[in-house]
Structure formats: structure tokens, C-alpha cells
Amino acid sequence: MGDKILKIDKLPTVRRLPAYLRLLKVFSSQGIDTVSSGQLAELMGIESILVRKDLELTGISGTPRIGFRISDLIRSIESFLGWATSTDAFLFGVGQLGTALLGYRELGQSGLKIIAAFDTDSDKLNRTFNGVRVFHVDKAPELLSRLNVQLAILTVPPEHAQQVTDLLVMNGIQGIWNYTPVSLEVPEGVTVQKEDLLSGLAVLSVRMSRAVVSQRCEEGS
Amino acid sequence: MGDKILKIDKLPTVRRLPAYLRLLKVFSSQGIDTVSSGQLAELMGIESILVRKDLELTGISGTPRIGFRISDLIRSIESFLGWATSTDAFLFGVGQLGTALLGYRELGQSGLKIIAAFDTDSDKLNRTFNGVRVFHVDKAPELLSRLNVQLAILTVPPEHAQQVTDLLVMNGIQGIWNYTPVSLEVPEGVTVQKEDLLSGLAVLSVRMSRAVVSQRCEEGS
DNA sequence: ATTGAATTGATAATAATATATCGAATAATG
DNA sequence: CATTATTCGATATATTATTATCAATTCAAT
Ligand SMILES: NC(=O)c1ccc[n+]([C@@H]2O[C@H](COP(=O)([O-])OP(=O)(O)OC[C@H]3O[C@@H](n4cnc5c(N)ncnc54)[C@H](O)[C@@H]3O)[C@@H](O)[C@H]2O)c1
Ligand SMILES: NC(=O)c1ccc[n+]([C@@H]2O[C@H](COP(=O)([O-])OP(=O)(O)OC[C@H]3O[C@@H](n4cnc5c(N)ncnc54)[C@H](O)[C@@H]3O)[C@@H](O)[C@H]2O)c1
């Protein structure tokens, strides 16, 4: 029992917002300035009513017969997500996945600016990846507080995940984007978003096996 | 209107299964052989009843007072996901993200074996990454049919995503694990699983901003 | 101006997912 | 062997998410 936390997250909606944003920016770059929920729905592979509900959450309203003004829509979504202004972040673990993320351009357009990276491996130290300098983890506490960084991306090996997390928490981190498969222990007030790539593979796996089954059924009938 | 597709996917459950699997394997490697839904729930940060429902879907049943036999559980989940036997896959686009995935060990334990990779960049060709050889995309059609590969991982630049997809579909691909932000057009029968890393960032962003707000409220009251 | 076609958005209905309750089953204990 | 504490799992409920319906609005064309 206990806490009874009200969840007014609208999580599925929030998850779709970046995809809308990307489409809108494509339209915008093509000089188009309005779009209907039906058009967005088609491109997203969902129902138009769902698009309207989603957009409603960001506080925008469209005009009948026309649709939505793209520039307003972009502003509205970005503002809702807090992506209008850029947030500084540190990345921990400059390995395979870490370097990929350091080179991921679209993060910059999603309000995230990785301003430094940290590792323990001497091969990685003092190098720069895509303009981001790599420091030893020991430097993190000082830099975290000096630069007042509130967000960290965690791409260290699983066995070091909690230890690095503790260090981050101790130095006032507010949010952790966790790519390790570890369920991190953090005090209340610190937000952790865990990404599990394997969950997508799981969905793909069951859908593919189901597709085979239904194909066989059709053949059979 | 139209199709009225019933969704008996239990998608949220399927998404959680890999995380259970990982925990179970840790337990197993520690010589533990039973676990209760409560223990798993605690580690996952969810309710125990939800764990039981999830596990039920894979067709297992536990014993009161004891819990679940871990070896059975692993077998049951792996079999449900189709991860008991390994599936061959090709990877397209040996760039930043592509090489990270080529080096991602845990894929091998999730029933996925990347047996070849493809690129167009001459710098990448004929090299091997983590034991996986890189071929020119032009070789893909022949190898796809010769090796009867049904699953592809797509990590090419967005502007080439559809074109590579068309090539894959033409050569009988059944499933695509799509890391590009493009909503791919595929014929019925081909399964696409799109991964959007930014959707996780979106969730983190709104949660962090909300955390700040609720903190302020508490201070105020 | 009037009509017609297209689209939004309020309301309602349905579906999917998560949580609660509690009897039944089971192994450990005395 | 009876008792007790614990955990499962069937059933019921609550919450959240999606889809449907349709009147109201707006622009464009006549
Ligand atoms: N490779 C992938 O495609 C992939 C995909 C999904 C999740 N992950 C997860 O991401 C994490 C990293 O995976 P990877 O493949 O990049 O591994 P990796 O070994 O290539 O990279 C890990 C890096 O972290 C550094 N490191 C180790 N201890 C550290 C510490 N205490 N502080 C800072 N840095 C430290 C290492 O020196 C290394 O550079 C793992 O938890 C993995 O499960 C990886
Ligand atoms: N870098 C990341 O962390 C990250 C994260 C999420 C999503 N993505 C997405 O993954 C994709 C790849 O990103 P990246 O950062 O690795 O880019 P990248 O440019 O480093 O890699 C792309 C690779 O694809 C190859 N390529 C180009 N055309 C090809 C073709 N027709 N057939 C086969 N290979 C081809 C290129 O030569 C290059 O090696 C992009 O769509 C990006 O949006 C990247």
C-alpha cells in the first residue's frame, strides 16, 4: 500500500512528442506552414484523433478547415518538453555507446548539450569526441558543482553504474539518463530514465513470431 | 475506420520481460534457485501483482510460500520471446551507433546473432568489428537469400533509411529493428520495430521539470 | 450572402493496463 | 500432525489510453 501517487504523466503522449517535432521541422524546412492532424497521423501510423489529443496536451489549438500552424506547434511542443532552451549535461563512460551518443547530432536539437565527458580509462582521457573533452571521473565532483550541471548520461559498464550514480547524487545531480541495465538506487527527488534497448527487441521478436503464425493460418484457411 | 485490429499484445509486459530475464540470470549465477514475485517487484520498482501477471503470460506458475523456480522462469521467458534459439541478423550502417551495437555483448544472450554488416563507405569495407565482417551493401541481396537472414538492424543515416529498407524487403526480410527516426514504409507481413531514443529524453525532461515544481510546492507549504 | 467541404475539439464509449482483495495452497515450525 | 506464516493466482476494481461520434467552426467557391 502506502504512497498512492497520482500519475498524470500521459507518458505515451510525451513519448510521441519528439516524433511530431521531427516531422514538423521537416515540414518547416520545406516552407510548409500548416499541417492537419490527419497528415501527421498518417505519417506516424496512428489515428488523427490521437494526434489532436496529444497536441492538446502541449496547450495548442488548431483552426478548423486548416489544421495547425507549424511554427506555433514547434514552439508549443518544445516549450512543453523544456527543449526550447538548452540543458547542459555530462556523459559518463566514453565507450562504444558513449561515443555514439557524443556524436549524435539530434541531441543538440532536443535541448541537450553534452559539455563534458568522463571516463577512467587513460586511453580516453584528455581526448575530445565531437568537440567534447574527456576528463577523469575524479574531476567530476568539482566540475558538477562549478558548472551546476543537473543532468547526466550514464553509459558505464553495469558493474560501475551504482557507484558512479552515488557520486553523481552526492554532487547534486537532478536527472540521470541511464543506458545501463541496472535499476539504480537514488534518493527521492532525483529522476532516473532507464533505457532498455532489449525491450524493443523483445517486442520485435514476439511480433515476428506472431506474424509467422498468422501467415500460416491464412495459408491453412 | 476500417480494420478494427484487436491488440492483445500485452506490450508493456513484453517490454518488461528482458529486465526480468537479466535479474534472473544474475540470481542464477549466484546459485540462487527460487525467487518470489515480491523480490522481483522490489528490484524492478513495480508491484508484485504486476510481476505475477507478467510471468503468467509466459505460461509459468509458481508455488505458494516459495515463489518461482528460476531455471524454469528463464526457460519460460526465453521460450516466450523466441530467445531460446539464436536468430541471425544483418546490420546496415556501420557508423557510430552501428559499431556500438556490433560491440553490444548482451545481444548475443538475447537470441540475436549479427553475422554480417553492410556499409557504403570504403573506409568501413572488409574490416571486422567484434568479429563481424563489413561488406558493401551491393552484396546484401545475394547474402540475404543465401543465408536466409530474416532480421535486419538499421543504423544508416535517415536519408538512406527507406532506400535500404526497400532493398531489404525486396530480398525477403521479415523484421527490421529501426534506429533511424524515419517511419519506414513496408508491405504487410514485414514487422518494423522503431526505437526512438529521444522519446526517453522527452520523458526525462518533463519529469525533471515536474520534480522542480513539486519541490517548490513543498517549500511553499 | 449562401452553400459546401474539411477540420477541429467537446463529449462519450471502449479498450488496455495496473492495482487491490482475498481465499487457497504450500512449506516450514513446533 | 496441527499450526502458522507466506506466497500465489482468481476475481474484481480502478486507472489510463485510445477510439468513436458529431456539432461547431472556418475557409473557399459559387
Ligand atoms: N554497446 C551498446 O550498443 C549498448 C547498448 C545498450 C546498452 N549498453 C550499455 O551501456 C553501457 C556501456 O556499454 P558499452 O558497450 O559502451 O561498454 P564499453 O565497455 O565500451 O564502455 C564503457 C566505458 O565506461 C568506462 N568506465 C568504466 N568504469 C567507469 C567509471 N567508474 N567511471 C567512468 N567511466 C567508466 C570504460 O573505461 C569504458 O570506456 C553498458 O552498461 C551496456 O550494458 C550498451
Ligand atoms: N549516434 C547515435 O547515438 C544515434 C542514436 C539514435 C539514433 N541514431 C540514428 O542512427 C542512424 C545512424 O547514426 P550514426 O550516428 O551512427 O550515423 P553515422 O553517420 O555515424 O553512421 C551511418 C553509417 O551508415 C553508412 N551508410 C550510409 N548510407 C548507407 C547505405 N545506403 N547502406 C549502408 N550503409 C550506409 C555510412 O557510411 C555510415 O557508416 C541515424 O539514422 C541516426 O539518426 C543515432
Side-chain angles (χ1 to χ4, degrees):
Chain A
M1 251 185 293
D3 308 75
K4 191 65 117 180
I5 291 169
L6 202 51
K7 290 185 191 161
I8 44 161
D9 263 345
K10 312 271 182 191
L11 219 50
T13 294
V14 172
R15 287 192 162 281
R16 282 187 291 267
L17 293 179
Y20 294 127
L21 204 46
R22 181 170 188 278
L23 289 174
L24 294 168
K25 284 180 177 172
V26 171
F27 282 138
S28 181
S29 75
Q30 291 170 351
I32 302 168
D33 50 30
T34 64
V35 66
S36 74
S37 62
Q39 291 174 284
L40 288 173
E42 164 117 48
L43 289 165
M44 300 266 298
I46 58 180
E47 299 290 324
S48 65
I49 176 63
L50 186 51
V51 173
R52 291 198 291 279
K53 291 273 177 197
D54 285 346
L55 301 182
E56 188 184 17
L57 181 69
T58 73
I60 203 159
S61 64
T63 57
R65 187 70 210 262
I66 292 296
F68 297 82
R69 176 163 293 278
I70 287 179
S71 56
D72 291 351
L73 217 35
I74 291 177
R75 227 192 330 270
S76 180
I77 295 176
E78 283 187 338
S79 143
F80 181 85
L81 291 174
W83 289 6
T85 59
S86 156
T87 301
D88 290 341
F90 282 174
L91 181 142
F92 291 80
V94 189
Q96 303 185 101
L97 185 58
T99 49
L101 291 175
L102 285 175
Y104 189 29
R105 294 287 178 145
E106 270 183 270
L107 288 184
Q109 298 174 8
S110 307
L112 196 70
K113 191 172 173 194
I114 304 178
I115 58 173
F118 299 87
D119 207 298
T120 47
D121 181 353
S122 57
D123 288 352
K124 305 282 169 59
L125 302 181
N126 298 318
R127 293 175 58 189
T128 70
F129 292 83
N130 193 30
V132 179
R133 177 90 176 273
V134 182
F135 300 92
H136 193 278
V137 183
D138 295 346
K139 292 260 173 59
E142 189 212 329
L143 287 171
L144 276 166
S145 59
R146 184 144 62 88
L147 301 174
N148 191 30
V149 169
Q150 310 194 328
L151 182 56
I153 305 172
L154 195 61
T155 49
V156 299
E159 56 271 26
H160 295 117
Q162 186 60 56
Q163 156 201 343
V164 175
T165 298
D166 294 344
L167 180 120
L168 294 171
V169 166
M170 206 125 67
N171 289 279
I173 209 76
Q174 295 296 306
I176 300 177
W177 199 11
N178 176 24
Y179 279 87
T180 80
V182 179
S183 289
L184 303 172
E185 305 270 343
V186 293
E188 202 172 352
V190 176
T191 310
V192 177
Q193 173 66 23
K194 186 174 158 196
E195 300 294 336
D196 182 359
L197 299 194
L198 295 183
S199 72
L201 181 59
V203 173
L204 181 59
S205 302
V206 308
R207 289 211 165 133
M208 279 179 74
S209 57
R210 199 168 294 167
V212 172
V213 170
S214 62
Q215 208 172 327
R216 285 208 187 120
C217 291
E218 280 166 32
E219 281 167 13
S221 69
Chain B
M1 250 183 293
D3 306 76
K4 190 63 118 184
I5 292 171
L6 202 51
K7 290 185 192 163
I8 44 164
D9 264 345
K10 312 272 184 189
L11 218 51
T13 294
V14 172
R15 287 191 163 281
R16 281 187 293 267
L17 293 179
Y20 293 127
L21 204 46
R22 179 168 191 280
L23 289 175
L24 293 168
K25 285 180 176 171
V26 170
F27 283 138
S28 181
S29 75
Q30 290 171 353
I32 303 168
D33 50 31
T34 64
V35 67
S36 73
S37 61
Q39 290 173 286
L40 288 172
E42 165 117 48
L43 289 164
M44 301 267 296
I46 59 180
E47 298 290 324
S48 66
I49 176 62
L50 187 51
V51 173
R52 291 199 293 278
K53 292 273 177 195
D54 285 347
L55 300 183
E56 189 185 15
L57 181 69
T58 73
I60 204 159
S61 64
T63 56
R65 187 70 211 258
I66 292 295
F68 297 82
R69 176 163 293 278
I70 287 178
S71 56
D72 292 350
L73 217 35
I74 291 177
R75 226 193 332 270
S76 180
I77 295 176
E78 283 187 337
S79 145
F80 181 84
L81 291 174
W83 289 5
T85 59
S86 155
T87 300
D88 290 343
F90 282 174
L91 181 142
F92 290 81
V94 189
Q96 304 184 100
L97 184 57
T99 49
L101 291 175
L102 286 176
Y104 188 29
R105 295 287 179 145
E106 270 184 272
L107 288 184
Q109 297 174 9
S110 307
L112 195 69
K113 191 172 172 197
I114 304 178
I115 59 172
F118 298 87
D119 206 299
T120 46
D121 183 352
S122 57
D123 289 352
K124 306 281 168 60
L125 302 182
N126 299 319
R127 293 175 58 188
T128 70
F129 292 82
N130 192 31
V132 179
R133 177 90 175 275
V134 181
F135 300 92
H136 193 279
V137 184
D138 294 345
K139 291 261 172 62
E142 190 211 329
L143 288 171
L144 276 166
S145 58
R146 184 143 66 86
L147 301 174
N148 191 30
V149 169
Q150 308 194 330
L151 182 57
I153 304 172
L154 195 62
T155 49
V156 299
E159 56 273 25
H160 295 119
Q162 186 60 54
Q163 156 202 341
V164 174
T165 298
D166 294 343
L167 180 120
L168 293 171
V169 166
M170 205 123 68
N171 290 278
I173 208 78
Q174 295 295 306
I176 299 175
W177 200 11
N178 176 25
Y179 279 87
T180 79
V182 178
S183 289
L184 302 172
E185 304 268 345
V186 295
E188 202 173 350
V190 177
T191 310
V192 177
Q193 172 65 25
K194 186 174 159 196
E195 300 296 335
D196 183 359
L197 300 195
L198 295 183
S199 71
L201 181 59
V203 173
L204 181 59
S205 303
V206 308
R207 289 210 165 134
M208 281 179 72
S209 57
R210 200 167 294 167
V212 172
V213 170
S214 61
Q215 208 172 328
R216 285 210 187 120
C217 290
E218 278 165 32
E219 281 169 12
S221 70

